[in-house]
Amino acid sequence: MSGQEFKRALGYANAAFELLKRSGIPPYPQFYELLYTYATGVNPSLNNRINAIFREGSSPSVDLAEALYNEFLKSDVNDRISDVSERMHARIEAVHDAIDSAMTTANAYSGSLQAASGDLQQDITVETLKSLANRLLLETRVMQETNQALEQKLEASRDDIAALQRDLDDVRRESMLDPLTKIANRKSFDEGLEAAVAEANIGDQPLCLMIADIDHFKTFNDTYGHQTGDQVLRLVAMTIRSNIKGKDLAARYGGEEFVAILPSTDLDGAVIVAENVRKAIQAKELLKRSTNEKLGRITASFGVAAFRSGDTPSSLLERADRCLYAAKHAGRNRVVSETELAEMQAAGSGISAA
């Protein structure tokens, strides 16, 4: 974890504890998670609900906090996965039962055939032979019907299991997306960066990481409201996603911060990507949807770092974060790469490496 990331996380934690203290809500883990999430702003629906409660002047309570936690944070992904798992288990059990029934019928049929074989080796009358043939014919039909029923159950089970697999895939995909911006979430980014760094450590392909932060977003959010703020977040996410390619991964890192993993891209190329995103964001004029009021333009600052041999996800992220901090410190609405950061430090611009 970089120094800047630690400071941000600590700020969110302090804000969460302050809200718990002010509301008189005990700092149980679920309530801390609730207000920590509120402080980060990553769940717009939760923030809108809590802000409405504050505006109405309602008295916070443990029951209210519990209800909000259950509604917004108690993940239904695990519940949905459990549901799919239970349905799949029931279907597999049904298949096992059908197979067991078919095997019982098959064993009985096999026994009848063996008995008939023994009878045929003895001297038997024509009437006994006819009776034996009729019995075998009847049991053969039962066996055919049992096999048909098994085939139908297997076919139905195959279709059901395919549908369950699609449901499970949908749940997994949803669990890896940010619900507001519909790009990858922090969990997906962490896994993607770990995989990209591991691949870069064993190969000779370049890898870069871009981190972006919307300038003065809190002020914008407070001035125009959370719905307009959400519109800004979606716009930035869409702009980043439309300017990357192939195996690149864009993600919402938290709050108003976004990241992009850029495999097979060197530092110069990554700076071009960041500049393209920066210019595209700055070029878009915002309108308040409800009134068509012009809200002006937004800007974002960018830090870009390149993979070095032996890097870990944390070390690469920390260097990109330092570059972002330098871009903010140098006036915002700009891209700072590791190369430029080194030049700024050598020139004594006051940008620290921390």
Side-chain angles (χ1 to χ4, degrees):
M1 176 181 285
S2 68
Q4 291 302 312
E5 185 179 0
F6 175 79
K7 289 178 183 178
R8 280 193 299 273
L10 185 60
Y12 295 145
N14 289 336
F17 277 119
E18 180 60 32
L19 286 168
L20 287 168
K21 182 179 178 182
R22 192 184 349 156
S23 303
I25 297 173
Y28 297 151
Q30 68 269 32
F31 300 149
Y32 169 74
E33 181 186 0
L34 177 74
L35 292 176
Y36 184 93
T37 304
Y38 171 75
T40 64
V42 297
N43 189 324
S45 299
L46 170 65
N47 280 47
N48 290 339
R49 179 69 63 81
I50 292 179
N51 289 335
I53 291 170
F54 287 156
R55 285 195 300 269
E56 292 166 1
S58 302
S59 299
S61 66
V62 172
D63 289 341
L64 178 58
E66 188 75 46
L68 289 171
Y69 176 81
N70 289 336
E71 181 179 354
F72 291 99
L73 294 184
K74 191 174 182 180
S75 175
D76 67 339
V77 171
N78 289 336
D79 292 340
R80 291 172 64 189
I81 290 175
S82 296
D83 175 64
V84 171
S85 178
E86 288 174 7
R87 287 158 56 200
M88 190 170 288
H89 177 73
R91 176 49 64 186
I92 291 172
E93 284 294 315
V95 171
H96 284 169
D97 290 342
I99 291 173
D100 288 343
S101 176
M103 289 182 65
T104 300
T105 303
N107 288 335
Y109 184 64
S110 177
S112 296
L113 290 177
Q114 289 179 356
S117 176
D119 291 340
L120 288 172
Q121 293 178 11
Q122 302 175 11
D123 292 333
I124 57 175
T125 65
V126 173
E127 291 300 322
T128 302
L129 183 59
K130 286 182 179 179
S131 175
L132 178 60
N134 288 334
R135 189 175 79 245
L136 288 176
L137 181 60
L138 178 61
E139 292 187 8
T140 299
R141 287 173 179 166
V142 171
M143 188 65 195
Q144 288 175 334
E145 291 172 357
T146 301
N147 285 340
Q148 270 186 334
L150 177 60
E151 287 176 6
Q152 290 172 355
K153 288 181 179 179
L154 290 175
E155 184 66 31
S157 296
R158 185 161 46 244
D159 293 341
D160 286 349
I161 289 173
L164 290 170
Q165 185 63 54
R166 288 193 295 271
D167 289 346
L168 192 58
D169 290 342
D170 288 343
V171 172
R172 285 174 176 157
R173 276 194 296 271
E174 288 176 20
S175 72
M176 303 300 279
L177 290 180
D178 175 63
L180 175 66
T181 62
K182 304 305 179 184
I183 62 173
N185 61 14
R186 174 68 180 271
K187 176 183 177 184
S188 182
F189 165 73
D190 288 342
E191 293 182 3
L193 183 60
E194 186 173 350
V197 167
E199 185 175 344
N201 268 313
I202 60 175
D204 58 357
Q205 291 297 312
L207 167 68
C208 283
L209 179 65
M210 178 187 82
I211 182 167
D213 184 272
I214 302 173
D215 297 327
H216 305 296
F217 180 75
K218 186 177 185 305
T219 301
F220 186 94
N221 216 27
D222 292 342
T223 302
Y224 297 110
H226 292 283
Q227 287 188 336
T228 304
D230 292 348
Q231 181 185 343
V232 170
L233 293 171
R234 284 190 286 264
L235 181 148
V236 171
M238 179 187 67
T239 304
I240 294 175
R241 184 170 56 188
S242 63
N243 279 276
I244 61 176
K245 63 184 190 311
K247 293 168 61 178
D248 298 349
L249 176 69
R252 186 180 178 192
Y253 190 65
E256 64 271 24
E257 283 193 337
F258 295 84
V259 284
I261 302 170
L262 307 173
S264 304
T265 303
D266 60 19
L267 190 60
D268 290 341
V271 170
I272 292 173
V273 172
E275 278 290 352
N276 289 340
V277 174
R278 185 191 68 79
K279 292 175 183 176
I281 291 173
Q282 186 181 21
K284 299 181 187 299
E285 186 170 15
L286 294 172
L287 294 175
K288 191 170 185 178
R289 290 179 178 175
S290 58
T291 62
N292 282 332
E293 174 190 358
K294 291 185 178 181
L295 306 180
R297 303 178 190 277
I298 57 167
T299 62
S301 301
F302 296 78
V304 181
F307 172 83
R308 301 174 186 174
S309 180
D311 255 337
T312 65
S314 295
S315 62
L316 180 57
L317 182 61
E318 183 173 357
R319 292 203 309 279
D321 209 29
R322 289 176 183 169
C323 294
L324 173 64
Y325 174 79
K328 290 283 188 182
H329 186 85
R332 296 182 171 83
N333 189 26
R334 64 177 297 171
V335 176
V336 171
S337 68
E338 287 185 278
T339 301
E340 186 177 359
L341 177 59
E343 293 171 354
M344 294 165 72
Q345 290 171 346
S349 62
I351 302 296
S352 69

